[in-house]
Amino acid sequence: MRGDFSIFPCISLYLIIYIAHWDRAVQILNGKMHIGKLIKQQVEEQGKTVVWFAQQLSYSRTNVYKIYEKSSIDTDVLMRISLVLHYDFFKLYSERLEESFVDSVSD
């Protein structure tokens, strides 16, 4: 059955994740989610500039670069960023939390 991945559903799922969003998938699956890097990645994927992003947030470029360096972030700031980029960053935390629940149940 060439091309039929149904016998390996987990492998095919991880392969899709790998192809679509390698950096994001690795960070989430390893439990090492760096929100600043994920925000930077989303800005770049959308073809936006740091200047545009800073203007949308009413921040300086320096503050945007500081956000990119943060491994954690205030929820109000993350909400503003999510609204500006039209991307649910909270979903990433929810997915990680769900994975933790599954892992703790299976242990």
Side-chain angles (χ1 to χ4, degrees):
M1 288 188 194
R2 192 171 173 167
D4 181 12
F5 292 102
S6 62
I7 57 172
F8 301 110
C10 292
I11 293 172
S12 62
L13 174 63
Y14 287 118
L15 183 60
I16 291 168
I17 291 171
Y18 172 82
I19 293 168
H21 300 284
W22 167 250
D23 289 336
R24 188 175 299 149
V26 168
Q27 290 171 8
I28 293 169
L29 291 174
N30 287 337
K32 298 177 184 174
M33 192 167 77
H34 190 289
I35 193 63
K37 289 180 182 178
L38 297 173
I39 291 168
K40 180 180 180 185
Q41 182 179 351
Q42 189 60 224
V43 170
E44 291 172 352
E45 284 179 10
Q46 291 185 20
K48 307 296 186 187
T49 65
V50 172
V51 173
W52 176 88
F53 190 44
Q55 288 173 344
Q56 297 302 306
L57 294 172
S58 299
Y59 284 0
S60 67
R61 286 181 303 161
T62 302
N63 284 342
V64 168
Y65 287 117
K66 287 179 183 178
I67 288 171
Y68 290 169
E69 295 173 5
K70 292 181 175 278
S71 60
S72 64
I73 193 167
D74 180 80
T75 55
D76 289 337
V77 173
L78 189 61
M79 177 63 84
R80 289 180 62 202
I81 291 169
S82 294
L83 291 170
V84 165
L85 294 176
H86 303 282
Y87 184 85
D88 185 2
F89 288 97
F90 292 96
K91 174 182 66 176
L92 302 174
Y93 285 101
S94 295
E95 289 169 355
R96 185 172 166 203
L97 186 61
E98 287 176 19
E99 289 171 7
S100 296
F101 291 151
V102 170
D103 290 343
S104 66
V105 169
S106 63
D107 287 344

